[in-house]
Amino acid sequence: VYTYGTDAYVPDNTYYWPESGNLDFLAVYPADITITAPAGYQSFSYTAPTTIGEQKDLMVATLGNQAKSGSALSLAFSHLSSQISVKAKVSTNLTVNISDVTIKNVKPTGTYNGTTFSVDDTSTATDYSIGISAQDLPTDGTETDLTGTNVLLLVPQTTTAWDGSSDVSTTTGSYLEVTLTAKNGESYVLGNSTTPAKVYFPLTINWASQYHYTYVLNFGAS
C-alpha cells in the first residue's frame, strides 16, 4: 500500500480505514516499477526505460468514493502502455542481414491523471533499440519477427514523421533506423563485409494504450 504525501507516494505497510469519510483507491502494477507523483490527487508519471528488458507492462486500477465495508474491494486493471513489434521480409533475391532496429525521437514519459494516460510532451525525446542479434532474413519472402517476445512497451503518443529529406541527425520527426548489410548475389549494395549501413524509414506514430502495433519492413519491394 502506498499513501500520497506532499509530493510522492510513500510505502505504508499498514493502513486503517478512517472512522469517517470515504476513500479513493489507485493501484499500479507491477510493484517494482518507479513512478513519481508530479502534482495532484491520484496521479503519477512513468518513464519507459530505454532497455527493452526493463520496460514494464504498466497497468492501473482505480476505485473512487468507497465507504467502509466488511467486503473485499474489487479492482479492475487496464493496460496503459503501447506494445511495439518490428518484422522484416525480403521480396527479391537480395541477401539482407539486420543487426539493429531503433525507433528514433520518441517521448519516454507519460502521466496518469486518474482517468487517462497521456504523453508528457515536455519530456526529452529519446531512442529505443529492439536489441536484436544479427540475422539474415529468409530469402523466400516470409516475415521475420525481429522483436520476438521482447516487444517494446512504450508511452502512448502521436508524433510527426521525419520528412525523408532533411538531415536525420537534426530532425525532431520520428523514424526507424535500421542497421544492415544487403547483397545482390556476391556484390554488396548496402554496407560491406566489415561495416554495415544505416537506412532510415519515416515513421508517423499514433499509439494508444492497450494496442499492439507491428511495423513490417519490406526490402526489395517495388
Side-chain angles (χ1 to χ4, degrees):
V1 174
Y2 286 75
T3 56
Y4 185 75
T6 304
D7 58 1
Y9 289 100
V10 181
D12 187 351
N13 292 327
T14 303
Y15 193 87
Y16 297 98
W17 209 287
E19 289 295 329
S20 62
N22 295 349
L23 293 180
D24 292 338
F25 291 86
L26 169 67
V28 180
Y29 174 89
D32 61 348
I33 66 167
T34 299
I35 61 174
T36 58
Y41 175 62
Q42 275 197 326
S43 67
F44 65 86
S45 64
Y46 166 77
T47 299
T50 55
T51 301
I52 190 170
E54 297 176 0
Q55 296 158 10
K56 304 297 183 180
D57 186 9
L58 183 63
M59 300 176 67
V60 69
T62 58
L63 199 60
N65 197 31
Q66 296 298 300
K68 184 177 181 180
S69 170
S71 302
L73 297 175
S74 178
L75 293 169
F77 282 84
S78 59
H79 297 271
L80 295 185
S81 299
S82 302
Q83 294 188 358
I84 314 300
S85 296
V86 180
K87 297 181 179 182
K89 64 180 181 178
V90 178
S91 60
T92 67
N93 60 352
L94 291 175
T95 301
V96 177
N97 180 280
I98 297 179
S99 53
D100 186 45
V101 177
T102 301
I103 301 178
K104 309 284 282 189
N105 292 336
V106 176
K107 298 288 187 179
T109 302
T111 299
Y112 182 74
N113 64 4
T115 305
T116 59
F117 185 57
S118 57
V119 67
D120 180 358
D121 284 324
T122 65
S123 60
T124 302
T126 191
D127 304 331
Y128 288 94
S129 170
I130 65 174
I132 63 175
S133 299
Q135 55 189 287
D136 286 340
L137 298 181
T139 56
D140 61 1
T142 58
E143 292 180 356
T144 297
D145 190 344
L146 301 176
T147 37
T149 57
N150 291 323
V151 294
L152 293 155
L153 294 164
L154 303 180
V155 174
Q157 58 194 280
T158 300
T159 71
T160 300
W162 166 57
D163 63 14
S165 59
S166 61
D167 187 344
V168 292
S169 67
T170 60
T171 184
T172 58
S174 300
Y175 61 98
L176 286 173
E177 178 187 85
V178 183
T179 306
L180 54 75
T181 60
K183 293 195 299 182
N184 186 356
E186 295 302 316
S187 300
Y188 282 93
V189 293
L190 287 171
N192 55 51
S193 60
T194 58
T195 306
K198 293 184 183 296
V199 295
Y200 310 104
F201 298 87
L203 185 65
T204 300
I205 291 173
N206 189 15
W207 298 336
S209 293
Q210 305 187 55
Y211 281 83
H212 187 166
Y213 299 89
T214 301
Y215 297 100
V216 180
L217 307 175
N218 189 356
F219 295 96
S222 58

